[in-house]
Structure formats: structure tokens, C-alpha cells
């Protein structure tokens, strides 16, 4: 196991990429804090699965769009496990709404979760990591940050581009003891895409060289690699995991 004895916090970990990442890091030896905001039952089911793997886990309810709740979440992780070695900033939201219909509230919430959430989770986790002179932060961005796919998600794309920018700046500021990297997934088969038109998704799949959408577990594998000592000379990097989208 590559991550034996380490502690990971994963935001938005009750489903999708976050859930798959939590289980994968537990399989690699991590104790895991499962952050969620609404679905306590789903979060507790992840905790139960991790416990069955012989690792410790806890579900922590916190809105990553709110700084005070982030600060308390980090305190809860350290109080429970004694430290925090790995932070995966996975939580994110999107409203696929045309410019003319998008509200100020939707825009602000997207900024709060996708941008401020990454910023403040990284800040307060890094404060703990600096004490140990060791740590890994992995930010989940999107290929939308590199090449926008839909004008309906302009705000989402912009916040995900900001995640890449933060990754590079944080990597410089926190070096050499804390590594900061970013994963930019392409199309992944998760709930966030369920409400999009089926014909549109079918056409998008044709543009992927692998001929299909990715699986959450495949993103989780990339996270496990970047979190491990196998990647100890990798920082300030954006790893695209998109199956060869053209």
C-alpha cells in the first residue's frame, strides 16, 4: 500500500469522483475524512465501506463555500486523526444555464464552491501541513478550464481555470515541503452530467479516442498516484485525464 498511515481529506466525497477517490486512497492505506454537504446517508455509506477495508474514516458535514465551516472541518480532521497529509479539493458545482438566464445567486455560489472552496481548504490544510513540513494538495479542475465546451457553463469554466492558476501559485508558495498538483478530467460518468441531453452526450463520446466517458475510479487512480511517493518529484503540474478528447 503506497499511502500506509497517512490521513486524507476529500471534499465532496459522498458520490462520484470524490467517493471513488476516498475508497481508492483507503485501499492504498489512508485514513479518510469524507466531506459532504447534503447527503449524510451516502457519506456514511462511504465511511462504512472504508471501515470494512480496515481503515478509519469519518464523515464531516461542511459547506466548502463558507470559510468558517472550512476552518472547523480542518480542526475536526486534525482532532480525529491527529494530522492531515493529503487534501483533495474535489467539491464542485455547475449550472448549465445560458448567459441570459443565469442568476447572480448561481454565479456567486459557483464562485464560492469552485474557487473560494479550493482557496480556503488549501489555506487551512496547508497551515497544518507546514507544521509537519510535509503534505500533498490535489485540486480537481476540468478540461473545461483549458478549452471551453459550452457557453452555458462560462462561470464553471472560469472557476476551473482559476483552480489551475491557484495550483501553480500554491505550488510555488508551499514548496519544497508541500506538493500541489491538479487533475483536469474530461467527460466522466457522474451525476453532474445526468441531466444533459442524451444525444449531446452521445456525440461527445464520439470525440473521445477511447470511445467512452471516463469512470470515477480512473480519476481516483490518478489522484492516488499524485498523492504517493512515486510522484514526489512532481509539483505545479496539471494532469489531463480525458481519454483523448479531440
Amino acid at each position: 500500500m503506497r499511502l500506509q498511515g497517512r490521513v486524507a481529506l476529500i471534499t465532496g466525497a459522498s458520490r462520484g469522483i470524490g467517493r471513488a477517490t476516498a475508497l481508492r486512497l483507503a485501499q492504498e492505506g489512508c485514513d479518510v475524512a469524507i466531506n459532504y454537504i447534503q447527503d449524510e446517508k451516502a457519506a456514511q455509506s462511504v465511511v462504512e465501506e472504508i471501515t470494512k477495508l480496515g481503515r478509519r474514516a469519518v464523515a464531516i458535514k461542511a459547506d466548502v463555500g463558507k470559510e468558517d465551516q472550512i476552518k472547523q472541518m480542518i480542526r475536526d480532521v486534525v482532532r480525529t486523526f491527529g494530522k492531515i497529509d493529503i487534501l483533495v479539493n474535489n467539491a464542485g458545482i455547475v449550472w448549465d444555464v445560458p448567459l441570459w438566464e443565469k442568476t447572480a445567486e448561481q454565479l456567486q455560489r459557483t464562485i464560492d464552491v469552485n474557487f473560494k472552496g479550493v482557496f480556503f481548504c488549501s489555506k487551512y490544510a496547508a497551515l497544518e501541513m507546514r507544521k509537519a513540513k510535509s503534505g500533498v494538495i490535489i485540486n480537481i479542475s476540468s478540461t473545461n478550464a483549458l478549452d471551453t465546451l459550452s457557453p452555458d457553463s462560462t462561470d464553471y469554466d472560469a472557476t476551473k481555470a482559476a483552480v489551475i492558476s491557484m495550483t501553480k501559485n500554491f505550488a510555488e508558495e508551499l514548496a519544497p515541503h508541500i506538493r500541489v498538483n491538479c487533475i483536469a478530467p474530461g467527460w466522466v460518468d457522474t451525476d453532474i452530467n445526468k441531466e444533459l441531453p442524451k444525444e449531446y452526450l452521445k456525440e461527445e463520446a464520439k470525440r473521445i479516442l477511447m470511445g467512452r466517458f471516463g469512470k470515477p475510479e480512473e480519476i481516483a487512480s490518478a489522484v492516488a498516484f499524485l498523492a504517493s511517493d512515486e510522484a514526489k518529484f512532481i509539483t505545479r503540474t496539471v494532469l489531463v485525464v480525458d481519454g483523448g478528447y479531440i
Side-chain angles (χ1 to χ4, degrees), residues 57-198:
V58 63
I60 302 177
K61 182 177 182 178
D63 183 345
V64 299
K66 297 181 179 179
E67 183 183 5
D68 59 337
Q69 294 191 31
I70 291 172
K71 291 170 69 174
Q72 184 59 52
M73 176 173 65
I74 298 298
R75 286 195 290 264
D76 289 344
V77 173
V78 174
R79 184 176 64 249
T80 301
F81 298 113
K83 60 176 181 173
I84 177 170
D85 300 300
I86 300 162
L87 167 66
V88 182
N89 282 308
N90 167 74
I93 59 171
V94 62
W95 277 283
D96 290 302
V97 178
L99 171 63
W100 325 113
E101 300 174 16
K102 191 154 291 183
T103 67
E105 290 76 17
Q106 289 171 333
L107 174 62
Q108 187 59 59
R109 184 60 179 164
T110 301
I111 292 170
D112 287 347
V113 174
N114 296 2
F115 175 76
K116 291 170 64 177
V118 173
F119 184 94
F120 286 115
C121 284
S122 298
K123 173 184 175 179
Y124 292 110
L127 286 171
E128 295 297 327
M129 293 174 179
R130 285 171 64 187
K131 297 174 185 177
K133 294 185 178 181
S134 176
V136 176
I137 297 173
I138 300 169
N139 299 322
I140 306 299
S141 178
S142 169
T143 51
N144 282 39
L146 305 170
D147 185 13
T148 183
L149 291 178
S150 171
D152 288 355
S153 60
T154 297
D155 50 346
Y156 173 83
D157 297 354
T159 57
K160 289 301 186 178
V163 169
I164 291 177
S165 179
M166 281 190 285
T167 296
K168 294 180 178 181
N169 280 293
F170 289 162
E172 292 186 31
E173 186 167 6
L174 300 176
H177 301 300
I178 302 172
R179 295 189 294 108
V180 187
N181 289 296
C182 182
I183 294 174
W187 283 111
V188 180
D189 188 13
T190 63
D191 289 344
I192 200 170
N193 301 317
K194 296 297 185 184
E195 295 183 7
L196 293 173
K198 287 184 170 54

Side-chain angles (χ1 to χ4, degrees), residues 6-20:
R6 300 184 194 180
V7 173
L9 165 62
I10 301 152
T11 65
S14 64
R15 62 178 185 169
I17 292 172
R19 178 183 183 279

